[in-house]
Amino acid sequence: MAGVPEPERSDIELGAVLHALSDPTRLAVVRQIEAEGERLCGGLSVGVAKSTLSQHLRVLREAGLTRTRACGNQRWVSLRRDDLDRLFPGLLDVVLAAASRGSVEREPVAG
């Protein structure tokens, strides 16, 4: 898509992917797309303002996690699952599984 930065598979970097996945809103976006498939950008339910969602989608796209395509005046977003699995086998599965378990409370450290 002209004018929308999207790295080639060979340019996707682990640090950028991990950074993108470290934000709870972006992780929620990835989980929703993983569960429901390609989505209209405006149809994502993550509880943030449209301008904030746009910024999160930009970070995900520029990190190589998602692909955005235009269809008329609408934009659709999908996961680049094949590219990610080829570059970082199992990474997305581990992150999504951990996210679905939620936060695990830590045991106090004995002092």
Side-chain angles (χ1 to χ4, degrees), residues 17 20-21 30 60-61 63-67 78-80 84 92:
V17 169
L21 291 171
V30 170
L60 290 168
R61 185 183 64 248
L65 280 153
T66 61
R67 174 162 281 124
S78 59
L79 282 181
R80 294 178 65 176
L84 294 166
L92 199 53

Side-chain angles (χ1 to χ4, degrees), residues 7 12-31 52-53 55-66 79-80 84 88 91-92 95-96 99:
I12 297 173
E13 298 176 355
L14 179 60
V17 169
L18 293 174
H19 168 74
L21 291 171
S22 70
D23 181 89
T25 300
R26 291 191 292 265
L27 185 55
V29 167
V30 170
R31 289 180 68 200
T52 303
L53 177 58
Q55 292 303 314
H56 285 301
L57 290 172
R58 179 187 55 80
V59 171
L60 290 168
R61 185 183 64 248
E62 290 178 354
L65 280 153
T66 61
L79 282 181
R80 294 178 65 176
L84 294 166
F88 314 112
L91 175 68
L92 199 53
V95 170
L96 293 173

Side-chain angles (χ1 to χ4, degrees), residues 4-108:
V4 178
E6 186 176 286
E8 296 293 325
R9 179 182 359 188
S10 60
D11 295 330
I12 297 173
E13 298 176 355
L14 179 60
V17 169
L18 293 174
H19 168 74
L21 291 171
S22 70
D23 181 89
T25 300
R26 291 191 292 265
L27 185 55
V29 167
V30 170
R31 289 180 68 200
Q32 190 171 0
I33 298 168
E34 173 71 9
E36 300 173 14
E38 184 180 47
R39 301 285 311 222
L40 276 171
C41 291
L44 293 162
S45 301
V46 290
V48 296
K50 285 183 181 183
S51 59
T52 303
L53 177 58
S54 292
Q55 292 303 314
H56 285 301
L57 290 172
R58 179 187 55 80
V59 171
L60 290 168
R61 185 183 64 248
E62 290 178 354
L65 280 153
T66 61
R67 174 162 281 124
T68 303
R69 70 176 178 88
C71 184
N73 63 350
Q74 298 177 327
R75 290 187 180 206
W76 292 81
V77 63
S78 59
L79 282 181
R80 294 178 65 176
R81 184 60 124 131
D82 291 341
D83 291 339
L84 294 166
D85 286 345
R86 176 171 259 168
L87 290 168
F88 314 112
L91 175 68
L92 199 53
D93 291 328
V94 168
V95 170
L96 293 173
S100 69
R101 285 194 304 267
S103 299
V104 176
E105 292 185 33
R106 292 184 176 196
E107 295 281 329

